[in-house]
Amino acid sequence: MKKIALFAITAFTAVSISAEAQKSNKKSMKKVLFVVTSNDKLGNTGEKTGFWSEEFAAPYYELLDQGVEITIASPLGGQPPIDPKSADPASATEDTKRFDADKVLQEKLKNTLKLSTVNQKDYDAVFYPGGHGPLWDLVEDKSSIALIESFYTHKKPVAFVCHAPAVLKNVKVNGEYLVKGKKVTGFTNSEEEAVGLTKVVPFLLEDALSSNGAIFSKGENWQPYAVADGLLITGQNPASSKLVAAKLLQELK
């Protein structure tokens, strides 16, 4: 009987320690909010847009595989639009193939949170994938503007890739544009010209951020290039997505 009792106590203690360890791990797990566009219209062209799948998938898996918990939000909530051009097999990468086959993530995307309902206090950082979609909704979205300001003023990283740095256009901290005097990058004028959309987009990202006082730098067209200036992390184009995620992970650690 004594042996049975001792075994039971030992087993109970082990289970208790395991439960506490799991609780501790959950508390220490970093949480990142992904914010994607709800806009599917490419200006007045009659064509579709949305978020660019590689710019979502590459950082998503880079963070997920390091144990980061990811929540997704969008201005309207629910299923966000994916730019159909980014779903073209010609644009496929290992990450986008994984994305296409990931039924758990597809279900998660169908149920994105409404942006106005999220609070920075529940997360350790925020990340915005690009695609042309954000130029027409997130740039002017008051919830997005307030959220970025809140993350930044609470000393939490804010990260953006490709067209997503455009959402910084109207973000101010203490009355000054957040990007003023900061090193940033994003989809360049020459890259926009190369895709033939300089007359379609509402503004050119490079010009807008530079006008707001940003120190804008860039690499070669379509080549990986990312810049971190303190809590502000930006990447130039789809190829820069993993670089942005790596810099975000460094900041989270």
Side-chain angles (χ1 to χ4, degrees):
M1 286 294 291
K2 284 184 179 178
K3 285 184 178 179
I4 293 171
L6 182 61
F7 176 79
I9 291 168
T10 304
F12 176 76
T13 303
V15 168
S16 298
I17 290 171
S18 176
E20 283 301 315
Q22 286 179 358
K23 196 184 288 184
S24 175
N25 283 341
K26 196 154 190 182
K27 279 184 181 176
S28 63
M29 183 184 287
K30 297 296 185 182
K31 296 179 180 180
V32 174
L33 177 70
F34 271 44
V35 179
V36 294
T37 183
S38 291
N39 173 57
D40 69 350
K41 294 179 177 64
L42 188 64
N44 297 317
T45 63
E47 294 182 32
K48 294 292 187 182
T49 187
F51 71 85
W52 197 263
S53 59
E54 183 184 1
E55 295 166 26
F56 177 95
Y60 183 89
Y61 292 120
E62 192 79 5
L63 296 172
L64 186 74
D65 291 346
Q66 293 299 315
V68 174
E69 185 179 320
I70 300 167
T71 299
I72 312 167
S74 62
L76 299 180
Q79 178 69 56
I82 300 172
D83 190 308
K85 289 180 182 174
S86 73
D88 189 314
S91 304
T93 65
E94 289 307 309
D95 291 306
T96 61
K97 289 174 187 174
R98 182 176 173 185
F99 170 83
D100 291 338
D102 191 337
K103 291 182 180 176
V104 173
L105 177 53
Q106 299 306 326
E107 193 61 31
K108 198 172 176 181
L109 273 168
K110 286 179 187 175
N111 298 285
T112 67
L113 299 178
K114 195 169 183 180
L115 192 55
S116 60
T117 68
V118 302
N119 193 313
Q120 63 76 24
K121 69 181 177 61
D122 298 322
Y123 307 96
D124 298 295
V126 66
F127 170 75
Y128 283 68
H132 282 89
L135 296 175
W136 282 276
D137 64 350
L138 287 169
V139 171
E140 305 293 339
D141 189 281
K142 290 181 181 178
S143 295
S144 176
I145 293 166
L147 193 70
I148 295 167
E149 179 186 354
S150 186
F151 268 95
Y152 194 80
T153 55
H154 283 85
K155 311 297 182 190
K156 295 178 180 180
V158 292
F160 313 82
V161 70
C162 200
H163 281 90
V167 306
L168 292 163
K169 180 174 180 279
N170 297 310
V171 179
K172 291 185 177 181
V173 173
N174 299 323
E176 297 277 8
Y177 288 112
L178 188 154
V179 298
K180 185 177 180 182
K182 302 284 193 313
K183 296 173 185 174
V184 302
T185 189
F187 204 64
T188 64
N189 290 355
S190 58
E191 285 170 321
E192 201 69 83
E193 188 175 345
V195 297
L197 294 174
T198 54
K199 304 297 184 186
V200 173
V201 293
F203 60 90
L204 294 174
L205 181 157
E206 180 179 343
D207 290 349
L209 297 189
S210 297
S211 294
N212 285 353
I215 303 165
F216 194 96
S217 62
K218 51 194 171 183
E220 294 294 319
N221 283 4
W222 319 118
Q223 296 304 305
Y225 183 75
V227 176
D229 191 330
L231 297 169
L232 177 60
I233 303 164
T234 49
Q236 182 175 322
N237 47 37
S240 309
S241 302
K242 281 198 175 184
L243 270 180
V244 172
K247 288 181 181 296
L248 179 55
L249 278 169
Q250 284 176 357
E251 198 63 39
L252 286 170
K253 288 173 184 176

